Amino acid sequence: MFGRQMQLAKRDLHRLGTDMRVWAGICAVGIILGLAGPFDTGDVMRTLPRMIYWTGICALTYFTGAVLVGRLMSMFSAHGMPSGGAALAAGVILGPVIMAEVAIINWAVFGASPFDLPYMAELGRDVILVAIVVTVAGWFVDRSSGSQPRKDDNTDGQIRLLDRLPLDKRGALLALSVSDHYTEIRTDKGTELVLMRLSDAIAETAPLPGLQTHRSHWVSLAAVTSAQREAGRAVLTLTDGHQIPVSRSNLAAAKEAGLLPG
């Protein structure tokens, strides 16, 4: 499990690290903070070193937060926590991690000892508060900017979820499954892992008729070729031979959709 998580984290870092828009934003914020000189850095550093320092801080904390917050929110949401609460909890956990990173950098740059308890208490207060505010604000902006489906979405009949896939994987959508904190998107051209919640992925499958058969699975109705019971549980077979389970709580819905005999 740990090796799998490391593999997914490396994938996230590579994707973000090769996005020039990410670096442009980091450099812009770093330069602005470098010019402003917050937290007394304007008194102890010249302008150029200060901009380099703040750009480094921005890069380290951004990549840490981008990888950690997404995983934490997916994990909390998978256990039924509301998205706002998941964002708050993720920010609380992210804060000490960022504090440790900043403390190490400040130790190397300024000689500020991480064993100085009053200094660490002040640093922790500031960093944890910023981590919580930024995480919750990011969730709020994402929620307000259209991540939730709108009534006028998909008026052209296109499945928005397929736009997240590489061109060679875009085909007929068959099923969605939870894989760690990712959603595995299955088409007739293969599978691809995308960092998003299953509920958000399902919202982007419209107007394709489908059904969530399990807390971790969704299927396209057109992709189901047969259904059978194995060891007392219902299983759906897709056009590519892959099988999807139907939980007891979803049996009635599967029968109503015509996937199982009544």
Side-chain angles (χ1 to χ4, degrees):
M1 177 64 72
F2 180 76
R4 173 65 168 169
Q5 292 295 331
M6 287 298 296
Q7 180 182 1
L8 295 176
K10 289 179 180 178
R11 172 179 173 158
D12 288 345
L13 288 174
H14 179 267
R15 175 175 58 84
L16 294 170
T18 55
D19 190 334
M20 296 308 298
R21 295 171 299 177
V22 169
W23 283 109
I26 288 173
C27 290
V29 175
I31 291 172
I32 292 171
L33 291 174
L35 292 173
F39 300 106
D40 298 327
T41 55
D43 298 330
V44 297
M45 302 180 77
R46 294 183 179 274
T47 302
L48 182 58
R50 196 166 65 236
M51 288 192 293
I52 295 174
Y53 166 82
W54 278 111
T55 300
I57 290 287
C58 289
L60 180 61
T61 55
Y62 171 80
F63 287 118
T64 300
V67 172
L68 187 59
V69 168
R71 297 185 180 284
L72 289 171
M73 288 190 64
S74 296
M75 180 179 68
F76 293 143
S77 297
H79 286 81
M81 183 179 292
S83 59
L88 178 61
V92 170
I93 295 174
L94 176 65
V97 177
I98 298 296
M99 180 187 71
E101 294 177 337
V102 174
I104 292 173
I105 292 177
N106 286 351
W107 192 12
V109 174
F110 305 115
S113 173
F115 303 104
D116 183 343
L117 295 183
Y119 156 70
M120 289 299 294
E122 183 178 355
L123 177 66
R125 179 199 65 196
D126 295 338
V127 171
I128 292 174
L129 179 61
V130 170
I132 293 173
V133 170
V134 170
T135 302
V136 174
W139 163 79
F140 183 79
V141 170
D142 181 64
R143 180 173 178 268
S144 303
S145 63
S147 61
Q148 301 298 319
R150 300 186 303 268
K151 291 183 179 180
D152 59 344
D153 280 343
N154 300 303
T155 55
D156 58 356
Q158 299 299 312
I159 300 172
R160 287 187 296 131
L161 185 63
L162 296 179
D163 292 337
R164 298 180 180 270
L165 304 181
L167 292 176
D168 62 333
K169 298 289 182 65
R170 297 182 187 181
L173 182 59
L174 306 182
L176 306 174
S177 299
V178 173
S179 179
D180 291 326
H181 304 308
Y182 285 68
T183 290
E184 180 187 77
I185 302 174
R186 177 176 296 273
T187 73
D188 60 353
K189 294 185 178 180
T191 62
E192 182 74 15
L193 290 176
V194 176
L195 183 58
M196 65 188 308
R197 294 178 301 175
L198 179 62
S199 58
D200 293 335
I202 292 174
E204 294 188 7
T205 62
L208 182 68
L211 177 71
Q212 185 167 359
T213 64
H214 187 278
R215 64 179 298 179
S216 300
H217 300 281
W218 173 95
V219 296
S220 163
L221 299 184
V224 178
T225 60
S226 63
Q228 59 274 347
R229 288 186 177 273
E230 295 182 357
R233 64 171 187 157
V235 178
L236 305 176
T237 300
L238 308 182
T239 54
D240 64 348
H242 186 70
Q243 293 187 321
I244 296 290
V246 181
S247 64
R248 290 184 179 179
S249 60
N250 288 286
L251 284 175
K255 292 177 181 179
E256 184 177 349
L259 300 180
L260 295 171

